[in-house]
Structures are given as structure tokens and as C-alpha cells.
Amino acid sequence: MTGKVTYLGATDEQVNWGSCDDPRPLLMEGNEYEVEERRVHSWHTKLKLRDVPGWFNSVCFDES
């Protein structure tokens, strides 16, 4: 499922959970990004954002 999300920021724990990539050097807090792909795992979900390299922990984003 695609859609838009707002980046909330990330902690070391959120980045390290599930071997996610670190969004902090790539994204700006409060900015909106388009989701290209989602990977749902048993304990977490990773998001791939359009035109941004990496897979990020979904808890770092607001989807409302």
C-alpha cells in the first residue's frame, strides 16, 4: 500500500530495531514523504520511500 507519511524523527533504538536504515541524515522532521513499498514483519514494518535510499522503521512516521 502506498500513501504519504510525515517523518517524526528517530531514536537509535528505532533505527536498530529489525536492522532498519537510519533516516536521520536523509529526512527532515515534519516533512511529508511518499511511500513506495511496505514490508510487514512479525514485530515491525519497514517503509521504502520514493526517491530515498533505504528501508525505515514505520514508527518514525505519522500516517494520518
Side-chain angles (χ1 to χ4, degrees):
M1 175 172 18
T2 59
K4 296 204 181 239
V5 293
T6 302
Y7 176 56
L8 302 174
T11 64
D12 289 338
E13 292 80 14
Q14 291 167 334
V15 171
N16 293 329
W17 185 263
S19 299
C20 293
D21 293 303
D22 190 348
R24 295 173 288 192
L26 302 170
L27 307 179
M28 181 175 283
E29 288 184 41
N31 280 9
E32 190 173 78
Y33 298 90
E34 187 174 349
V35 177
E36 187 174 294
E37 189 177 341
R38 294 173 194 268
R39 288 189 183 163
V40 178
H41 299 273
S42 58
W43 290 94
H44 70 290
T45 298
K46 291 183 179 181
L47 302 180
K48 170 73 177 121
L49 305 176
R50 186 167 312 283
D51 301 322
V52 181
W55 286 88
F56 309 108
N57 192 333
S58 65
V59 301
C60 300
F61 301 87
D62 180 22
E63 300 192 53
S64 57

